[in-house]
């Protein structure tokens, strides 16, 4: 943390620059400069917080102009995690794109993948052909992911307030979800499991049982957050009326997700613009009227309960069937199986195509190395990620690789509200407000 | 830290080396240097199930001036690189760096204009940890290997000797492109 | 050009602007795209043009007719000939796109936001697209507007030539576009006139060039393995 001082003093040597008056303070002048600064009343201290700071939710740089403990102006510096993912996508084929988008907002990989795949499917015109089982599994994975994302938000938010217990609780429950992700996709994070046309694989044996066990455990664990935090007077004192942003502010700044819902507007794309068959599930969209960090915490808690409800309904709906679109021009040629060497290949499949059909082998080779072509045009697909509206603008020039993919990441847009939430508040409240926005820098910077 | 660097080589120095190595490895303070996805796995490693406290390392320091291990957890962008170097320079010696994940180690899949192709362009790295992101077990393994390295680290004249040997070995080493691997 | 929506409405519009047909964005040569070597495939002489979908004819279907009618009506009330502001209307893959002349962008956007029958309150930012092959319209700025009131989405598309990369800023209408426009400026060099502080946001302040333009290289380095080296993704043989 570094500070720059623009205090005025008659004692210290000063010189005029284009930036204003610069005072050089050495040794014993310090007391005098502080006194004269207090008298002069034009004290303007700019505190640079981050980009490497334990409670800025990643590599976020906050530039705060403070007067005593009060923040008079707040600005964000972002881009410290800019990865050029959108550009990199343009040099890989459409299927490989999922590998990149999953690493954007690394706490919500399934939402990134689903949004991207919905966009590609819209371009291909195969939205209606996605098998039911794949859609149900997408919803299931997304809702589990919503749980894990909200858990990290509550955990790290708690840690930033100094509540280490809630952090340990959050990561404990997140591990349970990651275990399921690992069972289903083989990876704890960055899955690249949802592919254009469906899913990479079907559920492995035992997954449904583990999911049912998980729902039971989670129903037991979720009330613990209520007990630990909801009524906790310290927690409430830190959170209530902090990070205030009303509906007008939300609409002007384009804030979506829990921030918008904490201002009382029940806008949720799952209800208002359903995708993946969300219109068939029963769940509520929680709102509060408080417009503050505490309200957002309560909303996240309630959304986790609702997600659990959706997960249960998904398990009811799960029926055997394919998980990839039937069109062999798009679907990956084989249901890949994990070999004993840890590599994904299905010897049976290779034996079949090598032994029976030369054309199948050529097709396999073309599809894997070259990829499928997507007709020229553009599409916009949006999903309700835990942070808000995650939109994807996909442009194709008719080739085997994306021409342009742009992610409208909710963290990026919501983080703009930081200044409106923090200015006029205390320095310590900046942390609470930023934590309640729940920005993930991987998503902000991409 | 001072005196131990001035000791003459021999029995006394090696004894001090062992004691210093043991003390240093048993209380490594990592700096919170989370960048991207790997940072989440790093936090997971500190949390309940994996419990880094078992190795005396649960206290992640917010200030680099109190830390002696920097776990570079994630992709380092061109914009972040000077900041990273500054944080490294603020850490007191002796200090170690773990390059966590493939992005920090080599740029990984992000071979493009925005990402520094390996954090070893900016700071010296002690342990390269592959994975995207590495599992918490892998991070713990890397940390234990670092502990071994710290235990075996040299002081004073012995360190200079070791550094010279390492330099010579590196100069003699075959460039990667000339190695005979599976591809040739 | 009878597929101009304004003509369909019976308005007395000026001569067509010549942009309503399919928008050719590039000419693709060969079949397998592997450049830099002799053509061994026999398909090297193949030439195809790639075009984005052209203007649609009414009825557009879904809620699109209603939105288009309301917008055109509202613009007319403001004394603007709809055909001047709306270059063409494209309905493709269940999405409605208005191609807007850039000088009328702010007026169209504020109409879309304020008209009670339209009410597109939420702008989900701007996405830049660079079409080097679309001569005179190389840089596109694409806005997606969402109406929470009516549950609708429309897309606005504005284009600017490479030599004059100016587009009016929508920050006054949608303050949320502040960072989005800075991002698009940073990556594509589109200058949003009227933006309060158009500076780089993602790249370092002293960065040269606009990295997500198509003529900007990916910037990868060759990767060395034991005994082999592979070039950066943009340098490899590709299929296109």
């Amino acid at each position: 943390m570094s500070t720059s001082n623009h205090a005025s003093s008659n004692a210290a040597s000063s010189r005029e620059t284009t930036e204003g008056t610069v005072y050089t303070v050495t040794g014993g002048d310090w007391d005098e400069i502080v006194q004269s600064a207090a008298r002069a009343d034009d004290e303007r201290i700019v505190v640079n917080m981050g980009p490497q700071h334990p409670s800025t939710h990643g590599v976020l740089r906050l530039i705060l102009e403070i007067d005593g403990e009060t923040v008079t102006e707040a600005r964000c510096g972002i881009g410290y995690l800019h990865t050029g993912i959108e550009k990199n996508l343009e040099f890989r084929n459409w299927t490989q794109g999922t590998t990149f988008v999953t690493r954007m907002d690394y706490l919500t990989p399934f939402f990134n993948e689903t949004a991207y795949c919905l966009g590609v499917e819209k371009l291909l015109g195969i939205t209606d052909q996605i098998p039911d089982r794949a859609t149900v599994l997408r919803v299931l994975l997304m809702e589990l992911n919503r749980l894990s994302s909200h858990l990290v938000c509550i955990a790290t938010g708690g840690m930033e307030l100094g509540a280490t217990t809630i952090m340990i609780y959050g990561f404990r429950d997140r591990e349970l979800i990651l275990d399921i992700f690992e069972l289903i996709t083989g990876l704890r994070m960055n899955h690249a499991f949802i592919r254009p046309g469906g899913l990479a694989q079907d559920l492995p044996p035992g997954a449904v049982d583990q999911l049912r066990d998980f729902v039971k455990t989670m129903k037991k664990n979720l009330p613990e957050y209520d007990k630990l935090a909801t009524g906790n007077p310290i927690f409430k004192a830190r959170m209530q009326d902090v990070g205030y942003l009303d509906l007008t502010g939300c609409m002007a700044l384009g804030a979506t997700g829990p921030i918008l819902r904490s201002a009382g507007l029940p806008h949720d794309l799952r209800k208002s613009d359903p995708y993946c068959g969300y219109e068939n599930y029963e769940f509520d969209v929680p709102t509060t009227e408080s417009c503050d960090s505490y309200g957002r915490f309560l909303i996240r808690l309630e959304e986790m309960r609702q997600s659990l409800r959706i997960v249960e309904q998904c398990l009811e709906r799960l029926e055997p069937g394919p998980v990839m679109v039937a069109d062999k021009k798009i679907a990956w040629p084989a249901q890949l199986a994990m070999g004993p060497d840890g590599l994904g290949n299905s010897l049976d499949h290779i034996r079949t195509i090598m032994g029976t059909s030369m054309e199948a082998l050529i097709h396999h080779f073309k599809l894997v190395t070259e990829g499928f072509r997507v007709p020229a045009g553009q599409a916009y697909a949006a999903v309700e990620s835990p942070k808000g509206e995650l939109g994807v603008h996909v442009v194709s020039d008719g080739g085997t690789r994306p021409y342009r993919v742009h992610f409208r990441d909710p963290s990026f847009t919501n983080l703009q509200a930081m200044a409106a939430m923090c200015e006029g508040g205390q320095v310590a409240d900046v942390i609470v407000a930023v934590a309640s926005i729940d920005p993930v820098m991987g998503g902000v910077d991409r | 830290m001072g005196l131990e660097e001035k000791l003459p080589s021999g029995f006394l120095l090696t004894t001090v080396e062992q004691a210093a190595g043991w003390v240093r490895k048993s209380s490594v303070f990592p700096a919170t240097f989370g960048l991207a996805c790997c940072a989440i796995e790093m936090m997971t490693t500190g949390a309940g199930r994996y419990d880094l406290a078992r190795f005396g390392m649960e206290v992640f320091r917010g200030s680099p001036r109190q830390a002696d291990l920097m776990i570079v957890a994630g992709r380092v962008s061109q914009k972040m690189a000077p900041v990273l170097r500054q944080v490294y320079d603020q850490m007191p010696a002796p200090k170690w760096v773990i390059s966590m994940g493939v992005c920090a180690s080599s740029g990984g899949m992000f071979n493009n204009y925005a990402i520094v192709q390996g954090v070893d362009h900016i700071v010296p790295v002690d342990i390269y940890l592959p994975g995207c992101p590495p599992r918490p077990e892998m991070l713990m393994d890397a940390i234990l290997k670092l502990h071994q390295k710290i235990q075996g680290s040299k002081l004073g004249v012995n360190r200079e000797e070791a550094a010279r040997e390492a330099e010579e070995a590196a100069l003699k080493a075959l460039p990667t492109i000339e190695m005979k691997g599976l591809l040739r | 050009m009878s597929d101009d929506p304004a003509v369909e409405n019976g308005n007395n519009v000026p001569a067509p602007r010549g942009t309503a047909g399919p928008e050719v964005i590039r000419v693709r040569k060969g079949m397998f795209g592997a450049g830099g070597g002799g053509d061994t495939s026999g398909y090297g002489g193949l030439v195809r043009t790639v075009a984005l979908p052209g203007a649609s004819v009414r009825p557009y279907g879904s809620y699109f007719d209603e939105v288009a009618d309301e917008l055109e009506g509202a613009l007319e009330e403001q004394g603007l000939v709809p055909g001047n502001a709306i270059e063409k209307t494209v309905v493709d893959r269940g999405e409605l796109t208005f191609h807007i002349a850039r000088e009328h962008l702010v007026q169209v956007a504020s109409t879309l936001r304020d008209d009670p029958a339209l009410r597109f309150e939420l702008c989900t930012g701007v996405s830049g697209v660079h079409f080097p092959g679309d001569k005179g319209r190389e840089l596109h700025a694409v806005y997606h507007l969402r109406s929470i009131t009516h549950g609708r989405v429309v897309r606005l598309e504005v284009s600017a030539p490479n030599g004059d990369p100016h587009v009016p800023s929508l920050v006054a209408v949608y303050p949320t576009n502040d960072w989005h426009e800075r991002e698009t400026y940073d990556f594509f060099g589109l200058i949003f006139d009227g933006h309060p502080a158009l500076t780089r946001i993602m790249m370092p302040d002293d960065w040269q060039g606009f990295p997500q333009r198509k003529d900007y290289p990916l910037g990868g380095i060759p990767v060395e393995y034991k005994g082999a080296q592979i070039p950066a993704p943009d340098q490899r043989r590709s299929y296109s």
Side-chain angles (χ1 to χ4, degrees), chain A residues 142-164:
Chain A
M142 278 196 285
E143 291 308 320
L144 287 172
N145 201 173
R146 190 183 309 277
L147 273 160
S148 74
S149 171
H150 280 344
L151 282 170
V152 172
C153 171
I154 291 174
T156 55
M159 185 175 65
E160 287 163 8
L161 298 183
T164 321

Side-chain angles (χ1 to χ4, degrees), chain A residues 182-213:
Chain A
E182 195 179 351
L183 180 73
I184 295 176
T185 72
L187 290 161
R188 288 162 57 85
M189 296 168 75
N190 302 345
H191 314 277
F193 185 69
I194 297 170
R195 303 276 173 84
L199 303 175
Q201 277 189 336
D202 203 349
L203 284 184
V208 175
D209 293 337
Q210 188 165 342
L211 277 163
R212 287 193 202 282
D213 288 346

Side-chain angles (χ1 to χ4, degrees), chain C residues 121-161:
Chain C
E121 309 98 336
L122 189 68
C123 180
T124 65
V126 50
S127 159
V129 191
H130 186 211
F131 293 108
D134 193 3
K135 290 285 171 251
R137 298 159 45 84
E138 283 93 350
L139 292 162
H140 291 225
V142 183
Y143 305 81
H144 295 93
L145 307 181
R146 183 179 287 283
S147 164
I148 294 177
T149 313
H150 302 294
R152 295 167 174 171
V153 181
V154 296
R155 178 187 295 128
L156 301 184
E157 193 164 338
V158 191
S159 59

Side-chain angles (χ1 to χ4, degrees), chain B residues 54-130:
Chain B
R54 292 177 290 163
F55 310 106
M57 291 183 54
E58 78 278 21
V59 193
F60 279 79
R61 305 312 306 193
S63 163
R65 295 188 194 284
Q66 299 165 354
D68 47 13
L69 169 63
M70 182 154 119
I71 303 178
V72 184
R75 46 213 189 217
V76 183
S77 68
Q78 306 282 3
K79 197 171 179 178
M80 192 66 193
V83 183
L84 188 141
R85 180 68 210 195
Q86 189 175 0
V87 169
Y88 178 78
D89 286 340
Q90 285 172 345
M91 286 165 57
K95 52 194 170 187
W96 298 276
V97 176
I98 291 180
S99 161
M100 181 181 181
V102 71
C103 301
S105 301
S106 73
M109 66 194 292
F110 303 113
N111 191 356
N112 63 19
Y113 63 93
I115 294 295
V116 176
Q117 299 298 306
V119 73
D120 48 7
H121 288 279
I122 315 165
V123 293
V125 175
D126 292 280
I127 303 273
Y128 295 92
L129 172 58

